[in-house]
Every structure is written in C-alpha cells, then in structure tokens.
Amino acid sequence: MLDFKTVISVGAASLVSIQAAPHKSGKTAQITPNIILIYMDDMGYGDIGRTGAADYLTPNLDLLAEEGMQFTWFYCPQAVSSASRAGLLTGCYPNRIGISGALFPWSTTGINSEETTIAELLKTKGYRTGITGKWHLGHQEKFLPLRHGFDEYYGLPYSNDMWPINFDGTPFTEVDMSIFRSRCPVLPLLEGNEKIAEIRTLADQDKLTTDYTQKALNFIETSKDQPFFLYMAHSMPHVPLGVSDKFRGKSGQGLYGDVIMEIDWSVGEIMKSLEKNGLTENTLIIFTSDNGPWLNYGNNAGSAGGLREGKSTSWEGGQRVPCIMRWPGVIPKGSVCNKLASSIDILPTLAAITGADLPAHKIDGVNILPLLQGNKDIVPRHEFYYYYQENDLEAVQQDHWKLVFPHSSQSYENQLPGNDGWPGPLGRKTVENPELYDLRRDPGERYNVIKLYPDKVKELGIVAEKARKDLGDNLTNNPGSNRRKPGSVK
Ligand code: MG
C-alpha cells in the first residue's frame, strides 16, 4: 500500500503514482485523504473572483484555486436542488434513481436505501462522515442523512424558502393550499434525526452560514485522528438571503455580495482549521454548486457569468457551475482544467482514490482522478446528457458540441424580478426545432449552427438514442430500460 506521505514527498513526478497498488476490484489507489465537499445552493458560474465576480472579493476561494485546480467546464447533474444532490451523492443522473426537481415538505419520496451514497462508499474505508447544511433528499427519517451513510447531521431537511414566511419577513397568512407558502410548515433545524430549533424569521436565516461553519469546524476538530468526509451543503445563496452582521453591507453588490463574502469567509475558516490541525496536505477540498443562479430574484440572485439563462434550465447558465479542487501534492498548484466533468464524477473518483468498491448497480459518473493529477492527455468524459423535469432529455453534448431538442424552457424574460419563482407562473419559452451549439466558440449559446454541421447533428443524434434507450425520454415517449425507483413512504 502506498501511503499519502510517500506520494507527496516525491513531488510532481509522482502525481500518477497514487495508482501504484493494484486492488482486487481493478481500481488501484489505496489512500484515504480527508475529503471536504462544499456545495453551494444556487451560486452561479460568475459568482467567484476567478470567474468575474464584481463589487466584492473572494480571497479565500481565489487562494483555494491558486493552491489547486479551477475547472471551467464542470456541470451539475440537473439544474435544480434535489435532482442535483441526488446525482452528486450517488454518481448517477438523478433520473436514473427516480429523483427529479425539488422535493417539498409534503413529498412522500426520497433517496432509495438501495442506492449507495458517497458517505456509504467512504464508510467502507473507515471514514467518519458528517453533513452540515441542506439535505433535500427526503425529510422523513428513512431518507435523512443518518440512514444514508452519515454519522452526524446538522442542518435543514430541504430548501430555506420552504417556510410560511414572505420575503419581507412577515408571516404568510393567506389560506390557499394552491399557493406554495400556504402548504409549508415552520422550517425545522435538525440535529441527527431530531428537530432542535425552528427557523422562523429572517434573523434566523442570517445565522445559518456562521452556524454551519461552526459545526463544520467542530467536526474537523473531533475527526482529525481518522479519515473524515465532511459534506458542507450551504443553504446560501438560495433566497431568502441571510447574512451575519460581520458581512452585512460590506460588499458593493448588496445583500447577494454580502452573502458570498460570508461564504468565502467560511471557506477560509475551514482552510485555517486544516492548517492548524496539520491536515492541509492530506485533505482534498472540492467546492462547487448545485445549479446556476435563480434569475427570478434579480439583484438577490447570482450571475451565470455570461452563460445563457440560469437555474431550472438545461442551458449553460443553469448547468455549468463554479468548481475548485485543492489537494496539495496531487493536484498541481494554480492549474486550470478545461475538460468536461460533472459532479456525478465525484463518487467514482473518490472510489478510485480510496480503493473503495463501486456500487454494484449501474452509475453514470466516471473517474476523473487523471484530471486532478494534471494529466492533459486523458479525456475521461466525452458525453453529457441534459435531462430536466421528471425525465425530459432536453439536450445532449459530445465534446464541445451541444444538440438541443425541442422543449418547453423557462425563459430569461420570465425569470425577471417580480415573479415569485416557482411554483408561481413560470413562463415557458418553447424551443420549436433542434438547435446546435459549438460551446468551444460559443459558450453563451447565442448562435445556432445547426444548418452548418449536419454530420454533427447525426453524431449527436446517436448519443441521444443511446441515452433514450438506457434512461428514457418523456419528450419522445421512451420509458428507457434502466431506471430505478426512489424510496417512498405511505
Ligand atoms: Mg439550488
């Protein structure tokens, strides 16, 4: 077995050598770095300093990138909360495991106990596992983190706007069960499986980022003597925005900028804690977001950095998210990865690093460890499927080409301030005919080049047929043959 210290002591030449010891599963690595996965809620591609954030600074995220790798072409599995988290934690397209959109406080489904989460996978290698923040894979006990591989849990069971409070902080009193907020109970804060407090006011929301950070720091302190996996799933910058007094009014971009500054501070506190405990070298930090900005909320939403549209769409602004990884001695310092990757690739990558067995059932992620190691020749992922709604295949990608199929899409015009987000009236802009985009030249998806490249359309059509056969596609009435069911309660 190769220990981590050996890897880092021989420097850059050894970057591929963590694959030295063969494993009976065919995977090869045998080390157990600590893993910290920081997952933002609705942070857009353009919301960090490295990708053009304006009127506020993100010095700690900048430092993380300077000491690690920035991914420029990294996709969330689907541009909405529960689906994205399901994909992240299981390494599957969320529609494969029966999770779509956002679960509600009255939902009767959640993650199936037959699925393997990253936490469960790492438990087989002796990891201590903890989650701080938003779960959103089912709020009934059988779906909560402690039943899916986590030793500890502190946070909200679903989104922070699923509460009976208006955006000005006043109680929502209208009794109309067709209105989203009428149906939401008081927002519970959970520790383990128990409700320990209620989030009832905007002032309560203001405390979340600092509270989560403190819990995360405690987890690091108490886990430092064994390998640990910390999943830090911030509730911010999802509306309603909340920020502590130490950052209120500090950015030049209103409350949204203040919130991102506090997130950046939180990342810095975690980096400091690792340094203090001598864990910096042996810890892989992954920072990314569940989906792009929720543009409905105008100045309370983030920026997709010039990409098209945002959350709740399969356009690049919804699916392409910021991503930074740092692992000193393995990830080359200050590097940039322009290759295609997705958060569904994290699970198989962690399996490759630790030597853990992959789940027995089919997953969709691929091992991107060679990308982390700075290998420029290997291309682990050539294709990506853009599913939305329950099971609509809205687009497919092969390398830098993206073929968009006719579908009803939430349009930017209907996401402007004044609309109260879902489940209010979302405008749907229809894509009438297939469109083709060359994302290498046109990441903003402004120029439909379908007439210029008929051969590409054919090639991408084959990719789409493969997806439909396997995962199905409601837009073409194809059930698919390899979908699994979510968990459910009566
Ligand atoms: Mg989100």
Side-chain angles (χ1 to χ4, degrees), residues 39-43 78-82 84-85 134 136 159 234-235 238 289-292 294 311:
Y39 211 52
M40 304 310 306
D41 197 354
D42 295 6
M43 175 186 260
Q78 203 176 109
V80 61
S81 180
S82 297
S84 183
R85 285 152 216 272
K134 174 181 175 180
H136 217 184
S159 298
H234 281 285
S235 288
H238 190 292
S289 178
D290 71 334
N291 51 252
W294 202 355
K311 172 178 175 172

Side-chain angles (χ1 to χ4, degrees), residues 215-237:
K215 285 284 173 186
L217 297 177
N218 291 348
F219 180 80
I220 293 170
E221 283 288 338
T222 55
S223 308
K224 60 190 175 192
D225 296 326
Q226 70 181 99
F228 64 81
F229 169 51
L230 169 62
Y231 173 36
M232 189 165 190
H234 281 285
S235 288
M236 299 295 142

Side-chain angles (χ1 to χ4, degrees), residues 137-158:
L137 290 174
H139 65 282
Q140 285 94 349
E141 188 174 327
K142 71 184 270 196
F143 302 131
L144 287 176
L146 298 197
R147 297 282 284 273
H148 293 274
F150 288 94
D151 298 321
E152 293 186 16
Y153 171 42
Y154 176 89
L156 305 184
Y158 36 74

